[in-house]
Amino acid sequence: MRLARVLTAGAEQYASVVEGPQGTAYALLSTDPFDSARPFRDACPPTGRLLGAHEVTLLPPVPATAKIVGIGRNYAGTETGSGEAPLFLKPHSALLAHGLPIVRPAFSDEIAFEAELAVVIGRTCRQVSRDEALSYVLGYTCANDVTARDAQRSDGQWTRAKGFDTSCPLGPWIVTGIDARDLAITARRNGTVVQQGRTSQMLLDIAGLIERVTAVMTLVPGDVLLTGTPVGAGALNLGDEIEVHIESVGTLSNPVVASPH
């Protein structure tokens, strides 16, 4: 199933994404898939309303309050340095929907794309073993861990570099029920392939990442884990269009614009 969070007639709702003779449509759901009162992974009943793509605006597919946890240097061929790859946080204000512009912040002249598989948590988990980890996953989506490289080098930590507004494009929807252990990840800048990899190249796999993060902090429904980026992350310039495509998941696309301030 593909789950989208949409804005229609001024209201936010979840919908399942369906393909029909008229193209992509959205079947509105009567319940929130992240509602803690709903049994995990139970089907969300539809309302019976089917909307065309022109009738909805896509939002980031997770709750607006979602916690975003990332991991650095988690792919073969990237520099691992010494010790474990670092964990970091992005604020929920960094979330950006499919199609909306990445705004290069005024403090940076050098932002970069990082194409990533994102894991969406479906139920509360704390101190989870790797054997149990995948049972807490609702599904997967595409992410772009946009990073201000100059701030990353100068600050000594990653808060500004990875936490600025619009630095976490996510979407276009969540896909459930797939095996994410060996999916192709591709980034295209202005239509040209600029990054390629497979999720099987992760140094710490999805289950191991959930185990590691939940040893530190509690994850709740809707929280997002960014799983790292393959070799090939690169610069974004004003006017670029950057796409993140993940096999069996979809394509996330965003233009790049300057800060108005």
Side-chain angles (χ1 to χ4, degrees):
M1 176 181 282
R2 292 179 293 171
L3 293 170
R5 181 168 156 258
V6 301
L7 182 68
T8 180
E12 295 180 10
Q13 289 188 252
Y14 276 89
S16 63
V17 184
V18 296
E19 299 297 334
Q22 306 302 318
T24 302
Y26 297 85
L28 298 184
L29 302 177
S30 59
T31 57
D32 184 333
F34 299 107
D35 184 351
S36 59
R38 186 185 65 84
F40 178 57
R41 285 187 176 150
D42 271 14
C44 297
T47 64
R49 290 185 63 201
L50 186 67
L51 302 179
H54 66 285
E55 297 178 275
V56 305
T57 299
L58 285 175
L59 301 172
V62 297
T65 55
K67 178 164 70 262
I68 306 155
V69 185
I71 185 170
R73 302 187 292 270
N74 193 36
Y75 270 77
T78 58
E79 288 188 29
T80 56
S82 58
E84 293 184 328
L87 297 177
F88 61 89
L89 292 172
K90 282 180 177 272
H92 56 77
S93 53
L95 287 169
L96 183 69
H98 168 72
L100 293 184
I102 299 164
V103 180
R104 190 179 73 184
F107 64 77
S108 177
D109 293 318
E110 186 185 351
I111 64 170
F113 64 85
E114 296 186 11
E116 307 200 10
L117 176 74
V119 180
V120 181
I121 298 298
R123 59 188 176 115
T124 301
C125 50
R126 180 173 181 268
Q127 296 182 347
V128 172
S129 72
R130 65 171 293 110
D131 291 340
E132 302 175 297
L134 296 183
S135 70
Y136 290 87
V137 173
L138 176 67
Y140 304 91
T141 190
C142 304
N144 190 345
D145 177 19
V146 182
T147 303
R149 291 286 188 234
D150 42 5
Q152 189 177 33
R153 288 192 300 267
S154 66
D155 289 1
Q157 45 80 28
W158 294 359
T159 303
R160 272 203 316 164
K162 290 183 174 287
F164 60 89
D165 290 355
T166 76
S167 66
C168 192
L170 197 75
W173 40 63
I174 299 164
V175 177
T176 66
I178 63 170
D179 183 344
R181 290 176 296 180
D182 186 29
L183 302 178
I185 300 178
T186 305
R188 294 182 179 88
R189 184 177 53 210
N190 304 323
T192 300
V193 173
V194 287
Q195 185 180 23
Q196 289 183 299
R198 302 194 68 87
T199 57
S200 55
Q201 296 170 314
M202 290 181 195
L203 302 176
L204 185 64
D205 65 8
I206 295 167
L209 180 58
I210 293 170
E211 180 182 53
R212 184 173 168 198
V213 172
T214 62
V216 178
M217 66 187 78
T218 300
L219 297 175
V220 301
D223 282 351
V224 176
L225 298 181
L226 306 181
T227 56
T229 195
V231 171
L236 284 174
N237 299 308
L238 299 181
D240 282 349
E241 183 84 19
I242 184 71
E243 294 180 353
V244 174
H245 176 78
I246 300 181
E247 178 185 3
S248 302
V249 178
T251 301
L252 170 69
S253 180
N254 301 91
V256 182
V257 303
S259 170
H261 305 296

